[in-house]
Amino acid sequence: MSNSELAWLVAGNTFYFASAFILAFTLKDNRAFCKYLCPITVILKFTSRFSFLKIEGDKEKCTQCGNCVKACLMDINITEYVNNGERVLSTECIYCLTCTTVCPEGILNDTFKMDIGGKEHIQRR
Ligand code: SF4
Ligand code: SF4
Protein backbone atom coordinates (compact mmCIF):
# COMPACT_ATOMS: atom_id res chain seq x y z
CA MET A 1 0.00 0.00 0.00
CA SER A 2 1.41 3.37 -0.99
CA ASN A 3 1.64 6.31 1.37
CA SER A 4 -1.17 8.16 -0.36
CA GLU A 5 -3.46 5.12 -0.16
CA LEU A 6 -2.66 4.78 3.53
CA ALA A 7 -3.39 8.46 4.04
CA TRP A 8 -6.79 8.10 2.35
CA LEU A 9 -7.55 5.04 4.45
CA VAL A 10 -6.73 6.85 7.67
CA ALA A 11 -8.64 9.96 6.59
CA GLY A 12 -11.69 7.93 5.62
CA ASN A 13 -11.75 6.04 8.89
CA THR A 14 -11.20 9.21 10.87
CA PHE A 15 -14.11 10.87 9.08
CA TYR A 16 -16.33 7.85 9.62
CA PHE A 17 -15.72 7.50 13.35
CA ALA A 18 -15.69 11.23 14.06
CA SER A 19 -18.94 11.87 12.19
CA ALA A 20 -20.60 8.79 13.69
CA PHE A 21 -19.80 9.88 17.24
CA ILE A 22 -20.72 13.52 16.66
CA LEU A 23 -24.06 12.65 15.02
CA ALA A 24 -24.91 10.02 17.61
CA PHE A 25 -24.31 12.40 20.51
CA THR A 26 -25.78 15.56 19.01
CA LEU A 27 -28.90 13.85 17.60
CA LYS A 28 -29.13 11.33 20.44
CA ASP A 29 -29.90 8.69 17.86
CA ASN A 30 -28.61 5.20 17.24
CA ARG A 31 -27.04 4.28 13.89
CA ALA A 32 -26.78 8.00 13.11
CA PHE A 33 -24.09 7.59 10.45
CA CYS A 34 -26.16 4.99 8.59
CA LYS A 35 -29.27 7.14 8.71
CA TYR A 36 -27.89 10.52 7.79
CA LEU A 37 -24.61 10.11 5.94
CA CYS A 38 -24.32 6.69 4.36
CA PRO A 39 -25.12 7.08 0.63
CA ILE A 40 -26.30 3.49 0.33
CA THR A 41 -28.81 3.81 3.16
CA VAL A 42 -30.28 6.96 1.67
CA ILE A 43 -31.22 4.96 -1.43
CA LEU A 44 -32.43 1.98 0.59
CA LYS A 45 -34.62 4.16 2.81
CA PHE A 46 -36.33 5.57 -0.27
CA THR A 47 -36.93 2.20 -1.88
CA SER A 48 -38.11 0.63 1.39
CA ARG A 49 -41.14 2.94 1.31
CA PHE A 50 -42.39 0.91 -1.60
CA SER A 51 -41.77 -2.45 0.01
CA PHE A 52 -44.73 -4.78 -0.22
CA LEU A 53 -43.72 -6.62 2.93
CA LYS A 54 -44.49 -4.83 6.17
CA ILE A 55 -45.71 -5.60 9.67
CA GLU A 56 -49.38 -5.04 10.40
CA GLY A 57 -51.30 -5.16 13.67
CA ASP A 58 -54.93 -5.34 14.68
CA LYS A 59 -55.90 -2.11 16.42
CA GLU A 60 -59.03 -3.58 18.01
CA LYS A 61 -57.15 -6.42 19.69
CA CYS A 62 -54.04 -4.53 20.84
CA THR A 63 -53.84 -4.32 24.64
CA GLN A 64 -51.10 -1.65 24.58
CA CYS A 65 -48.79 -3.92 26.60
CA GLY A 66 -45.76 -2.45 24.85
CA ASN A 67 -43.94 -5.77 24.43
CA CYS A 68 -43.41 -5.16 20.73
CA VAL A 69 -41.85 -1.74 21.21
CA LYS A 70 -39.54 -3.01 23.94
CA ALA A 71 -38.40 -5.90 21.76
CA CYS A 72 -37.93 -3.99 18.52
CA LEU A 73 -34.23 -3.81 17.72
CA MET A 74 -34.77 -0.63 15.75
CA ASP A 75 -36.70 1.25 18.47
CA ILE A 76 -39.74 1.64 16.27
CA ASN A 77 -42.92 2.84 17.93
CA ILE A 78 -44.97 -0.04 16.60
CA THR A 79 -48.03 0.71 18.73
CA GLU A 80 -48.33 4.14 17.16
CA TYR A 81 -48.79 2.53 13.76
CA VAL A 82 -51.17 -0.07 15.14
CA ASN A 83 -53.25 2.60 16.87
CA ASN A 84 -53.37 4.61 13.64
CA GLY A 85 -54.54 1.57 11.73
CA GLU A 86 -51.40 1.65 9.59
CA ARG A 87 -48.85 -0.96 8.74
CA VAL A 88 -45.38 -0.34 10.21
CA LEU A 89 -44.25 2.19 7.65
CA SER A 90 -40.96 3.07 9.29
CA THR A 91 -38.02 2.74 6.95
CA GLU A 92 -36.04 1.63 9.99
CA CYS A 93 -37.78 -1.75 10.02
CA ILE A 94 -35.34 -4.53 9.16
CA TYR A 95 -38.13 -7.09 9.01
CA CYS A 96 -36.62 -9.26 11.72
CA LEU A 97 -40.15 -10.32 12.78
CA THR A 98 -39.20 -10.17 16.48
CA CYS A 99 -42.29 -8.11 17.25
CA THR A 100 -44.53 -10.78 15.77
CA THR A 101 -43.10 -13.37 18.14
CA VAL A 102 -43.36 -11.34 21.36
CA CYS A 103 -46.91 -10.05 20.93
CA PRO A 104 -48.96 -11.96 23.52
CA GLU A 105 -52.11 -11.43 21.48
CA GLY A 106 -50.53 -12.70 18.27
CA ILE A 107 -51.89 -9.74 16.35
CA LEU A 108 -48.71 -8.60 14.60
CA ASN A 109 -48.19 -10.27 11.26
CA ASP A 110 -46.05 -9.96 8.18
CA THR A 111 -48.25 -8.79 5.36
CA PHE A 112 -47.91 -8.35 1.64
CA LYS A 113 -49.68 -5.24 0.38
CA MET A 114 -49.01 -2.00 -1.41
CA ASP A 115 -48.58 1.29 0.42
CA ILE A 116 -45.90 3.91 0.20
CA GLY A 117 -45.37 4.90 3.80
CA GLY A 118 -44.27 8.45 4.27
CA LYS A 119 -45.09 9.33 7.85
CA GLU A 120 -41.51 8.96 8.95
CA HIS A 121 -39.23 10.64 6.51
CA ILE A 122 -35.83 10.66 8.14
CA GLN A 123 -35.91 9.91 11.82
CA ARG A 124 -37.95 7.19 13.43
CA ARG A 125 -40.07 8.03 16.47
S1 SF4 B 1 -39.94 -6.58 12.21
FE1 SF4 B 1 -38.23 -6.18 13.64
S2 SF4 B 1 -37.50 -4.12 13.08
FE2 SF4 B 1 -39.52 -4.36 12.14
S3 SF4 B 1 -40.96 -3.48 13.61
FE3 SF4 B 1 -40.83 -5.69 14.08
S4 SF4 B 1 -39.21 -5.90 15.64
FE4 SF4 B 1 -39.02 -3.85 14.72
S1 SF4 C 1 -47.16 -6.60 21.73
FE1 SF4 C 1 -49.13 -6.85 20.63
S2 SF4 C 1 -50.70 -6.37 22.16
FE2 SF4 C 1 -48.75 -5.60 22.98
S3 SF4 C 1 -48.66 -3.42 22.32
FE3 SF4 C 1 -47.62 -4.64 20.74
S4 SF4 C 1 -49.21 -5.09 19.21
FE4 SF4 C 1 -50.27 -4.45 21.09
Side-chain angles (χ1 to χ4, degrees):
M1 182 181 288
S2 68
N3 283 344
S4 67
E5 287 171 334
L6 181 63
W8 276 110
L9 180 67
V10 171
N13 277 283
T14 303
F15 170 76
Y16 170 79
F17 285 108
S19 58
F21 277 112
I22 290 168
L23 283 172
F25 281 106
T26 53
L27 299 176
K28 295 184 173 42
D29 203 356
N30 60 357
R31 297 171 51 253
F33 181 90
C34 306
K35 288 179 184 173
Y36 306 110
L37 288 183
C38 175
I40 295 171
T41 311
V42 169
I43 296 167
L44 291 178
K45 279 174 82 70
F46 175 75
T47 56
S48 70
R49 287 192 199 297
F50 302 97
S51 168
F52 293 120
L53 290 167
K54 290 189 178 83
I55 302 297
E56 184 171 29
D58 186 335
K59 179 182 177 181
E60 306 305 322
K61 294 180 183 166
C62 178
T63 60
Q64 308 295 319
C65 70
N67 281 8
C68 55
V69 178
K70 278 185 221 148
C72 178
L73 303 172
M74 305 308 289
D75 301 324
I76 297 169
N77 192 343
I78 300 164
T79 50
E80 186 179 318
Y81 289 106
V82 173
N83 291 338
N84 288 338
E86 298 172 318
R87 298 204 295 163
V88 176
L89 302 175
S90 173
T91 55
E92 290 297 299
C93 180
I94 56 174
Y95 219 62
C96 64
L97 302 181
T98 302
C99 54
T100 66
T101 64
V102 299
C103 176
E105 307 301 321
I107 59 165
L108 291 173
N109 296 295
D110 49 326
T111 55
F112 187 90
K113 292 181 185 173
M114 183 187 284
D115 53 23
I116 59 170
K119 194 169 181 187
E120 297 183 18
H121 293 287
I122 297 175
Q123 190 173 15
R124 53 109 185 101
R125 291 281 175 224

